[in-house]
Amino acid sequence: MTFPKNFVWGAATSAYQIEGAAGDDGRGPSIWDEFCRRPGAVLQRASGAIACDHYHLYLQDIALMQGLGLQSYRFSISWSRVLPCGMGAVNEDGLDFYDRLTDGLLAAGITPYATLYHWDYPLALHRFGGWLHRESSDWFARYAEVIVDRLSDRVRHWFTFNEPQIFVGFGYQDGSHAPGEKLELSKVLTIGHNVLLAHGKAVQVIRSRSKIMPSIGYALSVSPVAVPATETDQDIQSARQTFFAASRPLSRNNSWWTDPVVLGRYPEDGLAFFEKDLPPMGKDDLRTICQPLDLLGLNVYFGETYRAGADGTPEVVPCAPEHERTSFNWPVVPESLYWASRFYWERYGLPIIISENGMAAHDTVSPDGCVHDGQRIDFLRRYLTQLQRACSEGVDMRGYFVWSLLDNFEWAEGYTQQFGIVHIDYASQQRTLKDSALWYKEVIAANGAVV
Ligand code: IFM
């Protein structure tokens, strides 16, 4: 069995994780440049200052993608490379990079999928109040205008935000990511609301200014996916209820971040749960936030099992100590891909694209010059089999992006977690296709038939 006829196979990255060139051609600093300088913030005091030097080596990387037969490539744009202060003067040199990247991809027959925001907020704007500022959504809309005006004659596919749960939850609530703040809940919820407004305004900008008909998505972090212990109605309902419970931590919350965007309302249980800390909301805010979308992106990595307890309420089934895990210590749960897709499709009815999926490992180049990442092949094979199941049961599934094309800067973990299907030797910037890349090439060529 293969995947749908127009199913798209790709790989994903993000600007701060691969570009490097942090001080080149007028790029302004982002909150991640600053966070990486804080002692203890990032493992081994690593930073994305050089990373994979993709800013200079992008043509080589496009050639690698072409060699693998990738049909699409999902990248993000560095806001402060284009607008060094976050607003005001455009840095033409920075914008030119995304022009060249787009042209290079198209010349190689690879469809660009551009993400406007993957966590690298301009430092200048942060100092000016950042996402807490009541005008922050307008700053984002203005940034979106600059990008759309330049790229939308060639870029059709857009994502507004990548994983709002994570950059808000980790960045402003528990402080483990940039900008490293631990704010009171009411402020975190205000930031979240402003991010949702920014999403809505950016969608309006893309729709009204695109030179070719756009396709617009919003990419969510949905792990841990609540997976039912058995396929009885009771266990499935326990998993579904847990997956969409608004009482989940904000960094793991699905309904709080998706209902306003797709359904035009915050979930009732969330309004009750957060009652004392709700942000001020303008009367038209939800109308602005809820703009027509073409698809939802799901970033899926792992799951947690739930069953109906004796009184019918959901209860977690503990993960066995010997359960297989990745080097990040995330449990390998292939069914998470199926259940996340099915639950999202049922609740929101929008087409789905898997905007990230993959695993971290400690990969090394063997004496034979190859990188034998058999665990990753096994992981991807099992997850893709679950994706096939979702397709065969009628989920409108548009494509799959492996995370990640390249080993890269894994945020607070520095370079200790390798997600790439291409190995990077950071000292020499040598790229080596891992076995998983060669396997993925066959999967793409056969539209998944070899899974
Ligand atoms: O590397 C990250 C990415 O930036 C966002 N999604 C999860 C990945 C792995 O942690």
Side-chain angles (χ1 to χ4, degrees):
M1 178 197 142
T2 61
F3 284 78
K5 200 155 104 335
N6 296 325
F7 192 83
V8 165
W9 296 95
T13 63
S14 87
Y16 191 72
Q17 294 181 271
I18 65 163
E19 282 180 5
D24 287 27
D25 296 340
R27 173 187 176 278
S30 79
I31 53 173
W32 271 96
D33 295 297
E34 198 264 347
F35 187 68
C36 291
R37 282 193 288 272
R38 278 192 220 170
V42 173
L43 281 184
Q44 301 167 344
R45 300 203 73 168
S47 83
I50 301 174
C52 309
D53 200 20
H54 172 77
Y55 185 77
H56 296 113
L57 301 177
Y58 72 98
L59 285 176
Q60 193 178 324
D61 293 335
I62 291 173
L64 284 178
M65 295 184 224
Q66 191 177 22
L68 292 177
L70 285 191
Q71 297 161 350
S72 55
Y73 173 56
R74 174 172 178 246
F75 60 95
S76 80
I77 293 161
S78 156
W79 184 344
S80 64
R81 195 181 287 291
V82 175
L83 291 161
C85 296
M87 54 181 158
V90 172
N91 174 31
E92 291 297 334
D93 286 348
L95 193 47
D96 283 351
F97 170 68
Y98 298 104
D99 245 348
R100 294 196 298 277
L101 178 62
T102 300
D103 287 343
L105 289 167
L106 291 171
I110 299 165
T111 305
Y113 281 64
T115 300
L116 291 174
Y117 187 80
H118 196 129
W119 310 0
D120 44 354
Y121 197 73
L123 186 59
L125 284 188
H126 175 64
R127 294 196 169 137
F128 198 64
W131 287 119
L132 259 180
H133 199 291
R134 65 190 165 77
E135 283 166 21
S136 54
S137 58
D138 296 319
W139 305 337
F140 188 71
R142 170 68 194 130
Y143 156 62
E145 281 177 14
V146 172
I147 301 301
V148 169
D149 286 356
R150 178 62 75 89
L151 298 182
S152 71
D153 56 338
R154 289 152 290 153
V155 173
R156 180 185 302 283
H157 301 275
W158 302 91
F159 289 97
T160 54
F161 283 91
N162 188 67
E163 300 185 352
Q165 292 104 324
I166 303 296
F167 75 81
V168 176
F170 288 9
Y172 299 90
Q173 193 171 32
D174 78 15
S176 59
H177 278 192
E181 301 200 333
K182 294 183 182 175
L183 302 177
E184 60 204 62
L185 184 57
S186 62
K187 288 190 174 158
V188 180
L189 291 172
T190 300
I191 286 175
H193 190 68
N194 287 339
V195 167
L196 294 181
L197 276 171
H199 158 84
K201 291 180 184 179
V203 175
Q204 289 174 328
V205 166
I206 300 169
R207 288 242 184 265
S208 62
R209 296 173 87 100
S210 277
K211 294 174 190 134
I212 54 177
M213 176 75 87
S215 168
I216 311 176
Y218 168 65
L220 294 136
S221 161
V222 296
S223 306
V225 178
V227 166
T230 70
E231 298 203 2
T232 58
D233 289 348
Q234 295 87 330
D235 284 356
I236 292 174
Q237 181 49 20
S238 295
R240 185 188 287 117
Q241 191 182 327
T242 306
F243 191 54
F244 289 114
S247 53
R248 281 186 135 192
L250 274 179
S251 59
R252 300 291 181 216
N253 204 309
N254 296 308
S255 58
W256 189 257
W257 296 101
T258 321
D259 282 15
V261 164
V262 184
L263 306 178
R265 56 176 185 267
Y266 279 107
E268 287 297 331
D269 59 336
L271 291 171
F273 187 74
F274 294 126
E275 191 188 1
K276 292 191 311 305
D277 297 293
L278 290 175
M281 295 186 201
K283 73 171 179 22
D284 292 328
D285 284 5
L286 282 158
R287 235 194 308 273
T288 302
I289 289 169
C290 178
Q291 296 296 319
L293 282 180
D294 298 289
L295 44 75
L296 287 173
L298 302 184
N299 296 355
V300 184
Y301 290 92
F302 59 100
E304 223 169 40
T305 306
Y306 284 84
R307 67 180 164 221
D311 63 354
T313 53
E315 67 182 24
V316 72
V317 180
C319 190
E322 71 280 10
H323 189 96
E324 181 186 357
R325 288 176 181 267
T326 70
S327 66
F328 218 152
N329 205 26
W330 293 347
V332 176
V333 183
E335 299 77 14
S336 56
L337 205 45
Y338 168 74
W339 288 104
S341 306
R342 172 165 158 182
F343 287 157
Y344 257 79
W345 171 243
E346 283 172 359
R347 186 174 176 103
Y348 299 112
L350 278 174
I352 288 171
I353 196 158
I354 301 302
S355 33
E356 292 183 19
N357 173 242
M359 65 161 278
H362 294 139
D363 301 316
T364 49
V365 181
S366 295
D368 63 2
C370 303
V371 181
H372 301 299
D373 58 338
Q375 193 196 355
R376 182 172 288 104
I377 295 176
D378 190 50
F379 175 103
L380 295 174
R381 177 181 282 124
R382 287 189 279 154
Y383 275 67
L384 285 173
T385 301
Q386 294 293 323
L387 194 58
Q388 276 185 336
R389 178 179 175 196
C391 295
S392 71
E393 291 182 12
V395 175
D396 186 352
M397 186 64 69
R398 300 297 172 90
Y400 174 88
F401 290 85
V402 70
W403 182 271
S404 180
L405 177 69
L406 309 173
D407 287 343
N408 59 46
F409 175 75
E410 179 54 30
W411 310 111
E413 310 298 316
Y415 293 93
T416 62
Q417 301 295 333
Q418 296 155 268
F419 277 91
I421 56 170
V422 177
H423 179 271
I424 303 284
D425 177 319
Y426 293 100
S428 63
Q429 290 296 346
Q430 171 80 34
R431 277 90 166 118
T432 305
L433 297 180
K434 300 182 189 177
D435 289 353
S436 59
L438 302 171
W439 174 83
Y440 192 45
K441 178 179 178 171
E442 287 176 34
V443 171
I444 297 170
N447 194 23
V450 293
V451 160

